[in-house]
Amino acid sequence: MKKLESTKLTAEQQRFFNVKLAFVSSVSKDGMPQVGPKESLRVVDDSHLTWVEVTHAHLWDNIKNGSKVAVVVGDVLSHTNVRVIGTAHVSEDQALIEDLRTKTGKNGDVIVVDIEEIDA
C-alpha cells in the first residue's frame, strides 16, 4: 500500500468501505496488537468512519487508552484494498448514534474514526 496525499475518502473508497467487511486494528498500552472485523462499520463522510461497538473487549480498552486505529477493507478478486489510520472516539452525536443503530440493527456505543491517513 502507498500513502495517499489526501486525507479525504473518494466516492469510490467510501463505497468500498460501505460494502466490504472492514477489519479494525489497535494496540494495547503494553504494545500488543489486536485486530477484528467490524460488520457495522460505515462511512459518515469523506473524513470519518463509524461503527457500533458491541463487544467492549480489547479494541474498546485500546481506544479508551488512546490507541490509534487502522481500518482495512479489501477485495480478493480485484486485489484492491484501502486502509485508513486515525483517532477513534466515542460519539456523543445522538442523531448519528440513532441512525447507525437503526441501519445496523446493533445496540452499543458508537465509535467515530477521524481519518488522518489513507493508504491504497
Side-chain angles (χ1 to χ4, degrees), residues 1 7 13 20-21 23 25 35 38 46-47 54 68 70 77 85 91 94-95 97 107 110-111 113 117:
M1 281 193 238
T7 58
Q13 290 167 335
K20 300 295 181 184
L21 179 60
F23 288 82
S25 67
V35 65
K38 290 298 171 191
D46 63 1
S47 299
V54 295
K68 296 276 190 187
L77 295 177
I85 297 172
S91 178
Q94 290 303 311
I97 292 168
N107 193 17
V110 172
I111 305 297
V113 177
E117 179 179 314

Side-chain angles (χ1 to χ4, degrees), residues 2 9 14 16 20 37 44 57 63 80-81 92:
K2 178 181 170 187
L9 294 170
Q14 290 180 44
F16 204 59
K20 300 295 181 184
V44 176
I63 289 170
T80 303
N81 53 63
E92 296 181 12

Side-chain angles (χ1 to χ4, degrees), residues 52-64:
V52 179
E53 180 57 41
V54 295
T55 62
H56 292 92
H58 301 294
L59 177 61
W60 175 258
D61 291 338
N62 296 346
I63 289 170
K64 294 299 238 176

